[in-house]
Amino acid sequence: MIADRRVLVGVSGGIGIYKTCNVVRQLTEAGAAVDTVMTASAAEFVRPVTFEALSKRPVLTSLWERDQALSHIHLGQSSELILLAPATANLLAKAACGIADDLLTAILLAAKAPVLAAPAMNDRMWANPATRHNVSKLSERGWKFVGPAVGDLAEGPSSSPGRMVEPDEIVANAVRLLRAPSSGLNGKRVLVTAGPTREKIDPVRVITNPSSGLMGYAIAAAAFSRGADVRLVTGPSQLPVPHGVEVVRVETTEELRDAVGDDLDRSDVLVMAAAPADYRPRSEGDQKLPKTDGAVTVELEPTVDVLSATADKRRDGAIIVGFALESEDGFAHARQKLKRKKLDLVVLNMAREPGSGFETTSNRVSIIGKDDVRELQKMTKLEVAELLLDQVEVLL
């Protein structure tokens, strides 16, 4: 996703620096070329060799290093993103005032790249009017901020913001800033459904399916990384919500329909990756049905068809993607669904395909459009999400 992209990580002196090690590792593993610049105080917490080992690139710490006289100009102009983590109160104050008394602040003055800052400091320092003023000035200049969060600080528990956010959230926002400018989804509103629905038989029993939500969650994360404004409507799932994604939790298919209908007229893209139950009990018992030795009959009726029920709310020009999990005659059924529900794409996967379908981290699908079919090899669900969104961008 970010192979060979140039990222400069600026590290100032704060206890949150231990998280920055993981940030540099993740960015490097994602393929980015990561240059690390440390302030003198940062080197009191973690030695430069640590970041050199993680990034596999030299680490710079001073304006006065030999053969590096113009490094602040070179790095400032060649970097595609500057990430400051931790961004201490002192660093934010100097940047807001245009002070350039070390390598990192000199780079900030010479740079043209977007800046993402992950503040980390005592909660009272973050709340101080001077810090708030500095953050406001930097925001006006186009800086982006992630955090701070509420949580334990070096001096103990706190109920106010100050703690640096976790590495995964920092990396997710950094990747978004790198990818969004060249993405057709940048600034678009994407609505994604995920997971199963549950239809109650009685207060303790339900009809459902084994969908984990992995595919829908992967699509939501990939869309966020491309700059989209993402809302995820999810049935019951234990998965962590992707960073930056608005989540709406539902349980029944009717609740899923209502949540989709509430947002569909504002959405540029709808991806229906959820696996709603096709049937529900005709009546729900008020009390738990007693267990018996004999057979029990539960009369079922079809659940609402979400796309059909919300068709009149579709935005003109919106791209609608459906999913089809089939056990036989998959292509025929998928093409029928494409036409019947007026979809732009259908993602077909076969229930009996090894390593595909429910409760797996991989998938092997075919993406079916009105005029073509793209059959994919087995890959991770995040890789499937990326290729599917490539197709969506073409349609947009």
Side-chain angles (χ1 to χ4, degrees):
M1 294 188 297
I2 55 171
D4 300 322
R5 305 298 295 272
R6 295 291 301 272
V7 180
L8 187 148
V9 177
V11 189
S12 56
I15 192 64
I17 195 172
Y18 75 93
K19 297 181 182 179
T20 311
C21 297
N22 198 5
V23 170
V24 169
R25 180 187 63 81
Q26 288 190 41
L27 290 171
T28 301
E29 289 180 349
V34 181
D35 292 304
T36 307
V37 175
M38 302 178 68
T39 65
S41 58
E44 296 294 323
F45 288 88
V46 173
R47 303 302 296 167
V49 69
T50 301
F51 289 106
E52 186 171 329
L54 293 169
S55 68
K56 302 175 180 60
R57 296 172 70 86
V59 175
L60 299 179
T61 59
S62 172
L63 274 168
W64 311 110
E65 295 184 51
R66 293 191 63 181
D67 302 322
Q68 298 292 337
L70 297 177
S71 58
H72 62 295
I73 303 298
H74 170 69
L75 288 173
Q77 294 181 347
S78 64
S79 299
E80 298 175 80
L81 173 68
I82 296 177
L83 170 60
L84 304 177
T88 61
N90 181 59
L91 177 61
L92 296 177
K94 291 201 292 186
C97 294
I99 296 173
D101 61 352
D102 61 14
L103 178 58
L104 181 54
T105 50
I107 287 172
L108 290 173
L109 277 187
K112 297 180 180 179
V115 178
L116 174 65
M121 63 196 74
N122 174 270
D123 51 2
R124 281 172 285 188
M125 294 172 70
W126 175 253
N128 189 284
T131 302
R132 308 308 307 142
H133 177 69
N134 292 332
V135 170
S136 177
K137 286 174 64 176
L138 293 169
S139 296
E140 290 173 1
R141 295 176 195 167
W143 281 36
K144 304 296 183 184
F145 291 85
V146 52
V150 174
D152 289 350
L153 303 173
E155 57 271 30
S158 172
S159 58
S160 300
R163 177 185 174 91
M164 190 164 100
V165 298
E166 298 306 309
D168 288 353
E169 185 172 356
I170 296 172
V171 171
N173 281 271
V175 171
R176 177 180 172 92
L177 285 174
L178 287 168
R179 299 189 72 192
S182 61
S183 172
L185 286 177
N186 189 18
K188 301 293 186 182
R189 187 168 180 85
V190 176
L191 178 62
V192 182
T193 68
T197 60
R198 292 174 179 169
E199 306 295 339
K200 288 187 176 181
I201 297 173
D202 61 27
V204 299
R205 299 184 180 95
V206 297
I207 294 175
T208 188
N209 60 63
S211 172
S212 63
L214 277 167
M215 191 69 250
Y217 278 59
I219 293 167
F224 174 78
S225 78
R226 295 174 182 232
D229 175 13
V230 184
R231 171 175 279 195
L232 175 65
V233 180
T234 177
S237 175
Q238 299 301 312
L239 297 174
V241 175
H243 296 294
V245 171
E246 179 187 0
V247 66
V248 176
R249 297 193 179 275
V250 299
E251 183 162 338
T252 68
T253 306
E254 283 196 356
E255 291 172 352
L256 177 66
R257 174 204 61 192
D258 293 343
V260 169
D262 287 345
D263 205 58
L264 192 52
D265 61 350
R266 296 179 291 159
S267 299
D268 301 290
V269 179
L270 167 64
V271 183
M272 288 288 294
D278 293 320
Y279 297 93
R280 67 179 183 182
R282 188 174 291 277
S283 60
E284 177 187 339
D286 294 331
Q287 303 295 328
K288 177 184 175 183
L289 297 174
K291 184 176 180 179
T292 65
D293 293 332
V296 174
T297 299
V298 177
E299 188 175 2
L300 302 179
E301 63 181 9
T303 55
V304 64
D305 185 298
V306 174
L307 283 176
S308 298
T310 58
D312 61 333
K313 297 184 177 181
R314 295 185 188 185
R315 187 175 183 174
D316 288 343
I319 304 301
I320 312 294
V321 181
F323 274 67
L325 177 63
E326 304 291 346
S327 58
E328 60 181 359
D329 297 329
F331 283 99
H333 291 158
R335 287 191 177 95
Q336 291 171 6
K337 187 172 189 177
L338 183 79
K339 183 176 180 180
R340 184 177 71 255
K341 297 193 175 183
K342 299 179 180 179
L343 305 176
D344 296 283
L345 296 171
V346 169
V347 181
L348 167 67
N349 60 298
M350 303 303 292
R352 298 190 178 95
E353 181 82 28
S356 182
F358 291 148
E359 297 184 309
T360 66
T361 57
S362 62
N363 217 348
R364 197 192 76 77
V365 307
S366 298
I367 302 175
I368 302 171
K370 295 174 183 177
D371 301 313
D372 60 349
V373 175
R374 185 176 183 184
E375 295 189 56
L376 306 182
Q377 300 299 314
K378 187 171 77 171
M379 57 186 67
T380 68
K381 288 184 174 177
L382 183 57
E383 290 171 328
V384 172
E386 292 288 352
L387 291 173
L388 173 60
L389 293 180
D390 286 345
Q391 295 285 94
V392 170
E393 287 198 24
V394 170
L395 294 175
L396 283 172

